[in-house]
Amino acid sequence: MNYALIPSPTTSVWHLGPFPIRAYALCIIAGMVVATLLMEQRLRHRGVAPWVSLDLVVWAVPFGILGARVYHLITSPQDYFGSGGDPVRALYIWEGGLGIWGAVAGGAFGAWIAARQIGLPLSVFADALAPALPVAQAIGRFGNWFNNELYGKVTTLPWGLQVHEMDSATPGHATMIDGEPVTRPDLYHPTFLYEVIWDLGVAGLVWLLDRRFKFGRGRAFALYVMAYTAGRFWIEMLRTDEANHFFGIRLNVFVSIAVFLGAAIYFVVMRGPRAYVVPIDAPDTAPEPEAESDVSSVDVGAPAAGGKVPTGYQVVSEERFLAYQRTGVLPPAEAPEKAEVTTPPAAEN
């Protein structure tokens, strides 16, 4: 008996009255929350107003889920539209089937819409998200563990994964015989765990290198894409779940190679310092001192200036950003800067 094996849960769905509570959904939601909090801190350090991350998430998450499902349907259409397929099940996202690259593409489109409304350069959002996204992916992968799915080939390694036979008649529960869950006869590579570890490593790598080199113009996000696809390449080679193949190789292996090359080209070609932003109407001179008076002219009912939400942002150098943070006044650029001003569509001329 192998006492070092990794067990799998026998239940992935619980019911609160008539409402199902799915472990897969809980893991996805937990990942989103953690990623949002991490991104929020990084956005604030770049000059973005507090909790703008929520405005971005409101757009990015629905489009990300839609994109993830569409990618899955495109790459695995036979499960839903082929002979014996059930098209209605294409809507059952709680059963799994979300493709990461569809999520990235759809989420990026939603973020682009939000960034335009907020008046924020999309590259600032992308670089702030770069180390947070793999953390969300790592947390979300535990949903596959609960579902007893997406495991790898048979292995004799001490950390082999024990997999249960899931009951199709009672979704979310293992098949039971005489009160005991039925397990598959072998142990399998815990590819979900491999990706959890790899994703957390990617997050740490991106965070450390971004802190050291201060990437800008989306290069931190490109670094995340390169690091993630490098791991996804070898993890895909271990998986045995159903997938379309080309030349005997899983489709996602080819996708990983293509996306890696695209991100690498972007990382090498795109240059520029890290972007910092200040409000588009940031003052460039100190306010005139008010005349002395025996009566205070301060409106105690007025909101604090610091709580004002900018109508748009302008990109500035790190030196000017730090000076603005200290004084509230944006100093003139010592050398001509390439102005990058982003305003919401309603504010454009």
Side-chain angles (χ1 to χ4, degrees):
M1 181 178 292
N2 186 352
Y3 292 99
L5 62 82
I6 300 175
S8 291
T10 58
T11 303
S12 62
V13 179
W14 303 271
H15 285 81
L16 185 61
F19 302 103
I21 308 297
R22 304 179 189 278
Y24 186 86
L26 293 178
C27 292
I28 296 295
I29 293 171
M32 291 177 181
V33 171
V34 173
T36 300
L37 294 176
L38 293 175
M39 180 180 65
E40 169 68 19
Q41 292 303 310
R42 288 173 60 82
L43 286 173
R44 292 193 188 188
H45 291 160
R46 285 156 176 76
V48 181
W51 298 114
V52 166
S53 59
L54 297 181
D55 298 314
L56 291 164
V57 166
V58 164
W59 283 94
V61 169
F63 277 96
I65 294 175
L66 178 61
R69 190 58 172 178
V70 169
Y71 178 88
H72 173 71
L73 296 178
I74 291 174
T75 55
S76 302
Q78 66 279 359
D79 295 337
Y80 308 95
F81 309 111
S83 177
D86 183 3
V88 177
R89 290 186 56 244
L91 304 175
Y92 297 170
I93 61 173
W94 55 85
E95 293 183 353
L98 299 175
I100 178 59
W101 298 120
V104 172
F109 179 72
W112 175 78
I113 296 175
R116 279 183 56 82
Q117 292 185 340
I118 297 167
L120 179 70
L122 182 60
S123 61
V124 174
F125 162 71
D127 284 337
L129 179 63
L133 185 54
V135 174
Q137 291 174 261
I139 296 173
R141 277 301 174 197
F142 282 99
N144 301 130
W145 177 56
F146 274 97
N147 284 351
N148 286 252
E149 63 185 3
L150 304 189
Y151 46 86
K153 301 175 182 177
V154 173
T155 182
T156 58
L157 292 172
W159 55 82
L161 178 69
Q162 184 182 67
V163 178
H164 296 104
E165 294 281 1
M166 302 303 285
D167 190 349
S168 59
T170 312
H173 298 273
T175 300
M176 307 292 288
I177 296 180
D178 296 330
E180 295 294 328
V182 177
T183 59
R184 293 180 178 269
D186 299 299
L187 299 180
Y188 304 85
H189 280 287
T191 49
F192 88 92
L193 184 59
Y194 295 163
E195 187 163 336
V196 168
I197 296 171
W198 187 270
D199 288 345
L200 294 178
V202 168
L205 175 70
V206 174
W207 182 80
L208 288 173
L209 292 182
D210 185 46
R211 184 178 182 182
R212 170 67 177 83
F213 297 105
K214 297 184 178 180
F215 297 126
R217 305 192 70 179
R219 296 181 77 217
F221 192 83
L223 177 63
Y224 146 72
V225 172
M226 287 189 291
Y228 174 74
T229 50
R232 188 63 184 264
F233 174 84
W234 65 267
I235 292 173
E236 278 288 334
M237 301 293 284
L238 291 174
R239 283 170 50 170
T240 59
D241 53 293
E242 291 186 8
N244 289 328
H245 290 71
F246 287 101
F247 305 106
I249 300 175
R250 294 168 67 93
L251 174 62
N252 278 333
V253 173
F254 290 103
V255 174
S256 294
I257 295 173
V259 174
F260 176 90
L261 292 175
I265 292 172
Y266 183 94
F267 184 85
V268 172
V269 172
M270 190 62 63
R271 297 290 179 178
R274 174 183 289 174
Y276 294 87
V277 297
V278 298
I280 193 173
D281 56 353
D284 54 9
T285 58
E288 294 291 335
E290 297 182 1
E292 294 184 3
S293 172
D294 294 334
V295 180
S296 173
S297 60
V298 176
D299 181 3
V300 295
K308 180 182 177 181
V309 178
T311 58
Y313 294 90
Q314 56 178 311
V315 176
V316 298
S317 66
E318 182 178 9
E319 293 74 17
R320 297 179 72 201
F321 170 74
L322 293 176
Y324 177 74
Q325 291 287 301
R326 290 193 305 269
T327 66
V329 177
L330 182 65
E334 295 182 2
E337 293 181 351
K338 182 179 179 181
E340 183 179 348
V341 178
T342 306
T343 58
E348 295 176 351
N349 293 326

